[in-house]
Amino acid sequence: MLPDQEAAKIYQSTYERNSRAIGVLWGIFTILFAFVNGMCFVLPYWIGDGVDTPMAGYLGLFHYCIGHSIWRDLPCDGSFTDFSYSPFKAAFFFIGLSILLVISCIVCFALFFFCSTATVYKICGWMQLASATCQALGCLIFPDGWDSDLVQQLCGDQTDKYSLGACSVRWAYILAIMGILNVLILSFLAFVLGNRQDGLMAEELLADSKGSPNR
């Protein structure tokens, strides 16, 4: 084997190890995003009371806890199937769809055993890009419901669409917004890994063709 071919083989093996390590990190962060996004979806800490609010409590996409500040444990209400109060139906739909897309992406990890690695990365990349779009739509639509009777009951009469009055944004909504950037980065990384796998396969075929003896 020629020296340049040996160097190419060493570079290729190092490149493969680095790609696998990055791919493992990509998979881990995808699972973490699904877990954190699921928590944001379920927990009612999207908006909450403030110092001057008439009542104490907090609201989420479908679950809310509102009561008087002298109560230690606030009564909670709302469920997945109960939308009688909720002005946040569209945000609920898009955030839920975002989570389903990421979960589908995680299920697609099993395809690494059966399909081309580059193909699986690209499938997951498109799913994560769609998930980021749904997440962004849900976060943008959510404040449109801040003029509802329930929000005004908690935050006061000065609340309006995209204006919380005396209330404030809580950590679940902030995490949901940060998740948009997170899943966009994961999607970009998936496409990069997929394209690199295509390039790696092309280099392997080229090296094999150069290394085979002419007959």
Side-chain angles (χ1 to χ4, degrees):
M1 184 181 289
L2 297 176
D4 57 342
Q5 291 178 334
E6 292 180 357
K9 286 290 185 181
I10 294 173
Y11 170 78
Q12 183 176 333
S13 62
T14 304
Y15 184 83
E16 287 179 354
R17 287 197 300 269
N18 292 338
S19 295
R20 289 194 192 100
I22 296 173
V24 169
L25 289 175
W26 168 82
I28 291 172
F29 280 111
T30 298
I31 295 171
L32 286 176
F33 169 75
F35 176 74
V36 173
N37 211 29
M39 287 182 58
C40 294
F41 180 75
V42 173
L43 296 177
Y45 302 112
W46 284 57
I47 59 176
D49 56 22
V51 177
D52 299 324
T53 52
M55 300 186 74
Y58 32 84
L59 290 88
L61 289 173
F62 62 90
H63 193 55
Y64 61 93
C65 302
I66 297 178
H68 295 289
S69 58
I70 59 175
W71 294 356
R72 185 171 183 180
D73 296 324
L74 297 174
C76 298
D77 200 358
S79 66
F80 285 103
T81 57
D82 180 17
F83 288 100
S84 59
Y85 86 96
S86 177
F88 309 126
K89 295 180 183 179
F92 174 93
F93 171 78
F94 283 115
I95 300 295
L97 183 57
S98 173
I99 295 172
L100 287 177
L101 286 167
V102 174
I103 292 174
S104 299
C105 174
I106 294 172
V107 173
C108 286
F109 289 176
L111 295 177
F112 281 116
F113 297 102
F114 308 103
C115 302
S116 167
T117 302
T119 301
V120 179
Y121 275 131
K122 290 176 183 178
I123 291 173
C124 290
W126 282 114
M127 284 185 175
Q128 289 173 335
L129 184 61
S131 175
T133 303
C134 292
Q135 185 90 350
L137 287 172
C139 290
L140 286 172
I141 293 172
F142 177 72
D144 190 63
W146 289 352
D147 61 342
S148 67
D149 294 337
L150 187 65
V151 177
Q152 289 183 351
Q153 180 184 352
L154 172 64
C155 304
D157 296 334
Q158 295 182 348
T159 58
D160 200 355
K161 294 181 185 292
Y162 298 90
S163 175
L164 269 180
C167 284
S168 59
V169 171
R170 294 298 177 89
W171 61 267
Y173 189 27
I174 296 172
L175 279 182
I177 295 172
M178 293 173 61
I180 300 170
L181 179 60
N182 183 17
V183 74
L184 279 175
I185 294 174
L186 291 172
S187 173
F188 173 76
L189 185 57
F191 286 121
V192 170
L193 289 170
N195 290 330
R196 285 190 172 183
Q197 287 295 325
D198 286 336
L200 185 60
M201 292 177 62
E203 290 177 3
E204 288 178 353
L205 292 174
L206 183 61
D208 290 340
S209 64
K210 287 182 178 180
S212 60
N214 294 326
R215 294 182 179 178

